[in-house]
Amino acid sequence: MLGHVKMAVEANVVADEVVEVSADSVFDPNEGQVFNEDLRADLFDHKVYGPNGEGDLVFEEAGCIGRVLSTGYTVDITQYDRMRGEVNLAENIISTNADIEVSWVDSDGQADSAVVNGTQKLLTTSPEKWNTYGNPAYIPNELMKQSFWPPMPGRDGIKWTKLAKAVRSDETENSISVTKMGWFHSNGESYFVTGNKAIGADGASNVVRPAKDLGIAPSVAKRIDVELVPQESPDRSEQMVADITWIIGVFLHLFNVLGYGALLLAAALRPVVPLRPETTLFLVGSPASGKSLAASLVMSGWQAEAGTWNEKSLPGQALDTNAYGEIARSATPIWVADDIAPATSEQLANQRLDDAQDTVRSQTNGSAKGRSSASGKAQVLREPQSQLIMTAENAFKVASANQRAVIMNFFQGIFNEDKLASAKSFRDYGNQLSRVIGYVIEHIALEAKVYDWRTEVAEWQFEKRTIHEEALKTIKETGIKDRGAVERFAAQAADLSLGLRALEQLAQSVGMDISDEIDNAIKDLIVAIGEGHSDYKNQVKVKCQLQILMIG
């Protein structure tokens, strides 16, 4: 039988005065055994803030004691909030949360505990009402089955809850949970939220965390993460140099097509830049040409553990609904929609391509579909924020949709096999790209802390304009006459190239000069974007000619 706890809190205190909580006795009623002093101290000898000077508090035979581990809010964040570096919590709060640790002494005289999760209503209600209608809470089975639970029903239960709020209150964590991954700002500091943690200038942080429900499958959300090297690690700088050197040496020489490696590397790094990604990578080619493999190499930058992603395991797939895809692109920093066209019928395949075309337009424009609830109230807009990668066997049928995406044409023999073996090795075992992205996030967070977030955003906007001007000149040299197309392709090149500039800045911070490699990579990327669309036009022309011959 579980030993009950008989404790008295003798107060007669004024507001905010600190008093000691003592236990009269801790005993097993069957054995009459007094438990050891260490256990007694562990459970009950805590400093407590007095209850507003309201006389004595006496808790007898509660059977357990509680303390608040953490409280917090779940908030939404818009692109407007990200850009200005401020979040109005009062306007953006979606829900509240609280974690309360309940401790007791088991029948063997050992301390045991369990954590109750729920909303902040836990902090103002008696434990007997913690899991009632309108106040859902998760109460672990090991606590529910204890004979003392719930303790102190009725008004005495409220007293128990008040004591729980007072016990070791200086250790209570206050945190913010965010419904979208990416950059978030709190108290003058910036954090990048992944599916499993938040990363600031000093590494992983408990101030901000991802919400438990991001709107997509938890098994997918938790895998979108990066590996962090502890900042106190004595070999961190050497590791950083080695990882950057490895990434540059492999990715920029990964393909037998000029600029394709730069495109993939830029896409992997692009989500960390404090501007919304606007450009979709559209990987087109026959089955087994390497499209999904290439997408998995990009995703290898977004895994805390090597081997998380591969060509058979990518975040999104053709069977995902439009609504699910829209939520995913609004909640994650990077998203892959793999194999979008194949279907059991030509009609369904065409419908999927049409839906994908709408997705590309939404990605470019940063627009979201407006929806209302059953009551007629407007729902939260799902603005796209992720770097989007699509794979398909065929290009879009509408020219404007193709021009809004960066087309990469895949075929047998497209990879440099030696470099591909190295890239698959760091995807499955080494995790170099993921560590590099972690370094870049910490570097940008530190820059924003030293200066301020708006200055950081302004610097990246200036960098984007500079690359855009250079891209206009280069793309015109490819022979594309359409002014609108030239402008779109230059905008795409400027948008993607920001990821490469982020890598260059990181390298500079550890004394590496990779400016020549990055400048050349950006030039190759620009040419690849223009030529990708030229290849598409040639393919369309050949298909039209074949159709004419077949009709004839």
Side-chain angles (χ1 to χ4, degrees):
M1 179 179 177
L2 175 71
H4 280 222
V5 178
K6 181 182 179 184
M7 59 183 182
V9 182
E10 299 181 355
N12 269 335
V13 294
V14 295
D16 297 328
E17 182 181 351
V18 176
V19 298
E20 293 288 332
V21 177
S22 61
D24 284 342
S25 61
V26 183
F27 63 94
D28 182 330
N30 290 330
E31 302 294 335
Q33 175 187 1
V34 177
F35 298 130
N36 67 74
E37 288 300 315
D38 290 339
L39 174 62
R40 185 170 180 266
D42 181 50
L43 286 178
F44 307 113
D45 287 352
H46 309 305
K47 289 186 176 181
V48 177
Y49 290 91
N52 301 319
E54 301 285 343
D56 293 350
L57 284 179
V58 178
F59 284 50
E60 294 186 352
E61 297 187 4
C64 60
I65 190 170
R67 73 182 181 99
V68 181
L69 293 178
S70 66
T71 63
Y73 306 97
T74 298
V75 302
D76 191 31
I77 182 171
T78 66
Q79 288 299 327
Y80 176 70
D81 296 327
R82 289 189 200 277
M83 291 293 287
R84 68 187 183 134
E86 297 176 9
V87 180
N88 188 321
L89 293 180
E91 293 179 357
N92 292 9
I93 288 177
I94 295 175
S95 62
T96 64
N97 58 276
D99 296 334
I100 297 181
E101 179 187 59
V102 180
S103 299
W104 65 93
V105 180
D106 65 19
S107 57
D108 295 324
Q110 300 299 312
D112 203 352
S113 65
V115 178
V116 177
N117 312 113
T119 70
Q120 289 187 12
K121 288 182 179 179
L122 296 180
L123 306 178
T124 57
T125 55
S126 172
E128 66 180 329
K129 297 181 180 179
W130 278 1
N131 200 21
T132 57
Y133 179 76
N135 187 29
Y138 168 70
I139 303 176
N141 288 333
E142 62 265 32
L143 176 58
M144 286 285 284
K145 68 183 182 182
Q146 301 300 330
S147 60
F148 61 76
W149 189 263
M152 318 287 288
R155 291 185 177 180
D156 288 337
I158 293 293
K159 293 179 180 179
W160 186 96
T161 301
K162 287 183 177 181
L163 177 62
K165 288 190 288 185
V167 170
R168 294 163 63 183
S169 60
D170 57 331
E171 299 177 24
T172 300
E173 292 185 356
N174 299 302
S175 65
I176 300 172
S177 299
V178 189
T179 59
K180 295 185 178 83
M181 302 184 209
W183 287 107
F184 185 85
H185 317 286
S186 177
N187 296 325
E189 296 207 28
S190 299
Y191 305 90
F192 193 99
V193 180
T194 68
N196 231 15
K197 57 178 171 280
I199 306 164
D202 301 318
S205 170
N206 292 324
V207 175
V208 181
R209 63 185 65 172
K212 293 180 180 178
D213 183 8
L214 294 171
I216 61 175
S219 60
V220 174
K222 289 183 179 299
R223 287 188 287 166
I224 301 176
D225 200 359
V226 298
E227 179 182 343
L228 292 183
V229 177
Q231 295 192 356
E232 62 274 14
S233 172
D235 301 325
R236 177 181 164 92
S237 295
E238 290 80 1
Q239 181 74 64
M240 194 181 302
V241 170
D243 289 339
I244 294 172
T245 302
W246 187 275
I247 293 303
I248 291 289
V250 172
F251 260 98
L252 298 187
H253 306 283
L254 182 58
F255 290 90
N256 294 321
V257 177
L258 186 69
Y260 273 25
L263 282 170
L264 288 192
L265 182 56
L269 290 158
R270 180 60 183 84
V272 305
V273 175
L275 303 178
R276 184 186 71 82
E278 301 171 354
T279 306
T280 302
L281 279 193
F282 193 36
L283 284 52
V284 182
S286 60
S289 58
K291 306 181 300 294
S292 299
L293 172 57
S296 75
L297 296 178
V298 175
M299 286 305 302
S300 72
W302 294 91
Q303 56 183 16
E305 296 182 4
T308 297
W309 305 109
N310 57 55
E311 54 267 46
K312 296 181 180 179
S313 175
L314 291 166
Q317 56 180 327
L319 298 179
D320 294 339
T321 65
N322 291 337
Y324 182 82
E326 186 177 340
I327 293 171
R329 294 189 301 276
S330 73
T332 63
I334 189 166
W335 191 253
V336 176
D338 189 36
D339 209 15
I340 61 173
T344 55
S345 69
E346 182 178 358
Q347 181 180 2
L348 182 55
N350 289 335
Q351 180 60 53
R352 287 177 178 170
L353 273 177
D354 290 342
D355 292 340
Q357 289 173 176
D358 292 339
T359 296
V360 171
R361 291 190 183 93
S362 171
Q363 184 74 16
T364 302
N365 300 330
S367 58
K369 292 181 180 179
R371 294 184 174 89
S372 59
S373 63
S375 63
K377 184 178 179 180
Q379 295 183 2
V380 175
L381 288 177
R382 299 289 186 177
E383 302 168 307
Q385 66 153 17
S386 63
Q387 173 59 57
L388 178 60
I389 301 168
M390 290 180 163
T391 74
E393 292 183 12
N394 300 295
F396 297 129
K397 295 182 178 180
V398 179
S400 61
N402 283 288
Q403 289 180 355
R404 285 183 171 89
V406 170
I407 297 177
M408 297 177 67
N409 295 294
F410 278 72
F411 52 85
Q412 297 294 330
I414 192 172
F415 289 102
N416 176 326
E417 292 298 329
D418 290 339
K419 297 300 182 183
L420 177 59
S422 296
K424 291 171 72 174
S425 177
F426 68 59
R427 179 196 69 184
D428 298 337
Y429 306 106
N431 223 24
Q432 285 91 333
L433 182 55
S434 179
R435 288 196 296 272
V436 166
I437 289 176
Y439 301 140
V440 175
I441 290 172
E442 291 174 333
H443 178 72
I444 291 176
L446 179 60
E447 290 279 307
K449 183 177 181 179
V450 172
Y451 303 103
D452 64 76
W453 181 256
R454 295 193 183 189
T455 298
E456 186 72 13
V457 169
E459 289 289 337
W460 286 107
Q461 289 172 330
F462 175 79
E463 186 65 49
K464 188 176 182 180
R465 290 194 297 271
T466 301
I467 300 174
H468 183 266
E469 292 173 1
E470 184 62 33
L472 282 174
K473 299 175 185 177
T474 304
I475 291 177
K476 287 178 181 177
E477 294 173 359
T478 64
I480 298 176
K481 305 295 184 183
D482 186 337
R483 290 184 178 180
V486 169
E487 174 59 37
R488 278 193 291 271
F489 301 161
Q492 292 167 352
D495 181 50
L496 281 171
S497 295
L498 294 178
L500 297 177
R501 288 298 186 208
L503 178 61
E504 181 183 12
Q505 289 185 11
L506 172 69
Q508 289 174 351
S509 72
V510 289
M512 293 181 68
D513 183 4
I514 60 171
S515 56
D516 288 343
E517 290 92 335
I518 296 299
D519 287 344
N520 290 332
I522 290 176
K523 290 176 183 177
D524 294 344
L525 177 152
I526 292 169
V527 172
I529 290 175
E531 291 186 348
H533 288 279
S534 297
D535 288 347
Y536 159 71
K537 289 184 178 180
N538 291 333
Q539 291 172 11
V540 171
K541 188 180 295 184
V542 170
K543 287 181 179 180
C544 290
Q545 291 172 346
L546 287 173
Q547 289 175 354
I548 292 172
L549 289 173
M550 291 175 66
I551 293 173

